[in-house]
């Protein structure tokens, strides 16, 4: 059994869709790609327990806890 298989499954959502992982530390951009979203056009945000939201930079490593709820936020489009 590999080290990764020994870790417990973590359940979380992105935009209401359920995902599972054994890797509790992932880059925000990786989570966006997991959800099928382009990190160059969207940011990842976390819904905190108090109801507030926090946007996470693409390169930042996110600690994922069981039951976390993330959502995508469209970045501002440039007007040319």
């Amino acid at each position: 059994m590999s080290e990764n298989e020994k870790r417990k499954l973590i359940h979380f959502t992105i935009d209401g869709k359920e995902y599972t992982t054994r890797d509790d530390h992932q880059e925000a951009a990786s989570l966006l790609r997991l959800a099928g979203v382009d990190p160059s056009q969207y940011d990842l945000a976390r819904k905190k327990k108090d109801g507030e939201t926090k946007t996470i930079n693409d390169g930042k490593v996110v600690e994922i806890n069981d039951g976390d709820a993330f959502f995508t936020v469209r970045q501002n489009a440039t007007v040319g």
Side-chain angles (χ1 to χ4, degrees):
M1 182 180 291
S2 73
E3 184 64 33
N4 197 36
E5 290 172 329
K6 293 177 186 176
R7 295 181 178 184
K8 70 175 193 158
L9 274 177
I10 299 166
H11 301 82
F12 64 99
T13 62
I14 302 174
D15 290 340
K17 184 174 179 187
E18 293 185 21
Y19 296 92
T20 58
T21 186
R22 292 182 193 278
D23 183 1
D24 60 354
H25 288 84
Q26 296 188 39
E27 281 191 357
S30 295
L31 293 172
L32 288 167
R33 286 190 290 274
L34 175 67
V37 177
D38 182 353
S40 70
Q41 296 182 23
Y42 288 83
D43 289 322
L44 185 71
R46 180 193 309 257
K47 189 172 192 177
K48 299 189 324 187
K49 303 275 187 230
D50 61 8
E52 287 190 38
T53 60
K54 177 169 174 56
T55 303
I56 305 162
N57 293 335
D58 290 346
K60 182 163 172 72
V61 174
V62 178
E63 182 178 347
I64 306 168
N65 298 298
D66 201 54
D68 275 350
F70 297 97
F71 58 97
T72 57
V73 178
R74 174 99 172 143
Q75 296 175 358
N76 292 336
T78 56
V79 178

